[in-house]
């Protein structure tokens, strides 16, 4: 079985073309492939399937084998994969479906992809004000996020604190946890670290986390337009309008290598 290894600002994935539905992927296979020292190594596995209405279907699986509703970096990588390697069409603009919704994305430069984030709901549906001495907000941008403002992201014990919040009883299905620090309010610039549900550790970048944090900052500080985000995996851009109807996530995508692996 042929696979492609991708990185979206440090958030890495194993891509498999499954448009003919010839591969039956099991959770144990995904766990094995994602192991850093014994497998290919990745934060998750993405299957690209066919769609009756749209250009393709994206299914994203976490490294523990569980299926996720959506992944922003995975979506950006999927658009790059569809355009450059599957060569689905000449246009650089794609519409695709996920478990929960329909998304649009386009290749804006050689290795830079922008995705329109169409899901935003459950804003402040759960009160998490006790999680920060500054500001905190719960919301869902395709998957659930607890956004927590801190004085310094570098000082956060992210694995222990992130795990504790992720497993807090108030989140029935768990949550991702985003710790952010404002480093330049005039230029709407933040630093971000994310503890990701399903990976159960810090990841270098999380697209839905970038978007969730950008929306939270827009609400906290009345920001709109371009919000600059420095994650562990690099620099990203989030675009938020005042009505929260035009939400975009943009950044670098890299195809690292391709190879073959036994399907079982």
């Amino acid at each position: 079985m042929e696979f492609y290894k991708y990185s979206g600002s440090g958030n890495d994935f194993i891509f498999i073309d499954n448009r003919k539905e010839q591969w039956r992927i099991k959770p144990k296979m995904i766990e094995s492939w994602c192991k850093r020292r014994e497998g290919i190594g990745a934060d998750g596995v993405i299957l690209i399937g066919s769609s009756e209405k749209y250009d393709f279907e994206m299914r994203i699986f976490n490294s523990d084998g569980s299926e996720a509703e959506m992944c922003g970096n995975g979506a950006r990588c999927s658009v790059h994969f569809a355009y450059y390697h599957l060569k689905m069409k000449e246009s650089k603009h794609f519409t695709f479906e996920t478990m929960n919704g329909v998304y649009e994305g386009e290749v804006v430069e050689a290795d830079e992809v922008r995705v329109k984030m169409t899901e935003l709901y459950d804003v402040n549906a759960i009160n998490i004000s006790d999680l920060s001495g500054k500001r905190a907000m719960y919301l869902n941008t395709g998957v659930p996020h607890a956004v927590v403002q801190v004085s310094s992201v570098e000082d956060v014990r992210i694995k222990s604190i992130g795990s504790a919040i992720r497993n807090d009883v108030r989140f029935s299905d768990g949550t991702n946890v985003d710790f952010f620090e404002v480093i330049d309010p005039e230029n709407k610039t933040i630093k971000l670290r994310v503890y990701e549900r399903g990976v159960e550790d810090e990841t270098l970048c999380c697209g839905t986390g970038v978007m969730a944090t950008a929306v939270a900052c827009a609400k906290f500080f009345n920001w709109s337009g371009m919000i600059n985000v420095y994650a562990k995996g690099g620099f990203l851009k989030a675009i938020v309008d005042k009505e929260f109807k035009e939400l975009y996530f943009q950044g670098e995508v890299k195809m690292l290598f391709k190879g073959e692996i036994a399907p079982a």
Side-chain angles (χ1 to χ4, degrees):
M1 179 170 57
E2 187 177 66
F3 72 87
Y4 285 73
K5 177 70 182 291
Y6 260 85
S7 172
S9 303
N11 204 187
D12 58 342
F13 308 95
I14 298 163
F15 269 81
I16 295 169
D17 177 8
N18 200 35
R19 288 174 294 171
K20 295 181 181 179
E21 298 184 353
Q22 70 270 47
W23 306 118
R24 295 190 177 276
I25 310 302
K26 300 176 181 178
K28 286 186 177 179
M29 295 161 66
I30 291 168
E31 284 187 80
S32 175
W33 296 341
C34 290
K35 287 182 179 177
R36 295 288 176 186
R37 299 184 185 278
E38 299 176 6
I40 301 166
D43 291 326
V45 172
I46 293 177
L47 304 182
I48 298 298
S50 60
S51 170
E52 292 184 1
K53 294 183 178 180
Y54 307 103
D55 293 316
F56 62 87
E57 176 193 57
M58 182 189 87
R59 294 184 66 191
I60 169 73
F61 296 86
N62 297 310
S63 59
D64 65 357
S66 62
E67 187 166 6
E69 300 92 335
M70 169 55 182
C71 173
N73 283 314
R76 292 193 303 112
C77 291
S78 295
V79 170
H80 192 282
F81 183 57
Y83 179 72
Y84 284 108
H85 301 292
L86 299 183
K87 300 185 185 301
M88 288 185 179
K89 59 183 186 179
E90 291 186 9
S91 171
K92 295 182 178 181
H93 184 275
F94 292 83
T95 305
F96 56 98
E97 58 183 317
T98 68
M99 182 191 290
N100 274 9
V102 177
Y103 286 80
E104 296 178 33
E106 63 179 322
V107 178
V108 293
E109 292 182 22
D111 288 320
E112 188 155 338
V113 177
R114 176 171 58 226
V115 169
K116 184 176 183 180
M117 306 293 280
T118 59
E119 294 180 89
L120 175 61
Y121 47 92
D122 290 344
V123 177
N124 278 326
I126 300 173
N127 184 358
I128 62 168
S129 58
D130 59 300
L131 298 181
S132 173
K134 291 179 176 286
R135 298 169 180 84
M137 177 180 288
Y138 175 86
L139 66 163
N140 193 310
T141 51
V143 289
H145 284 271
V147 179
V148 180
Q149 184 182 12
V150 296
S151 298
S152 170
V153 292
E154 301 303 328
D155 293 339
V156 175
R157 300 191 307 277
I158 193 163
K159 190 156 188 178
S160 58
I161 297 175
S163 176
I165 296 174
R166 177 257 188 269
N167 291 293
D168 190 287
V169 293
R170 75 188 89 179
F171 309 115
S172 59
D173 296 319
T175 185
N176 299 277
V177 189
D178 313 301
F179 300 95
F180 80 94
E181 168 192 352
V182 178
I183 58 175
D184 185 350
E186 185 176 345
N187 292 306
K188 296 174 287 188
T189 304
I190 64 172
K191 289 177 72 175
L192 177 67
R193 295 178 70 186
V194 179
Y195 182 93
E196 198 162 339
R197 181 190 67 169
V199 178
E200 307 308 333
D201 204 346
E202 180 176 15
T203 54
L204 296 182
C205 185
C206 171
T208 55
V210 168
M211 205 72 244
T213 306
V215 169
C217 286
K219 288 184 174 289
F220 292 151
F221 312 121
N222 197 31
W223 289 355
S224 63
M226 185 82 73
I227 297 175
N228 304 302
V229 182
Y230 287 92
K232 287 282 187 178
F235 174 69
L236 299 116
K237 305 166 189 173
I239 302 167
V240 180
D241 72 321
K242 290 184 180 296
E243 289 76 33
F244 301 99
K245 293 180 179 178
E246 297 289 324
L247 307 176
Y248 294 91
F249 171 51
Q250 182 172 325
E252 186 181 45
V253 167
K254 292 180 180 179
M255 197 285 281
L256 304 176
F257 59 87
K258 66 177 181 177
E260 294 182 346
I261 191 169

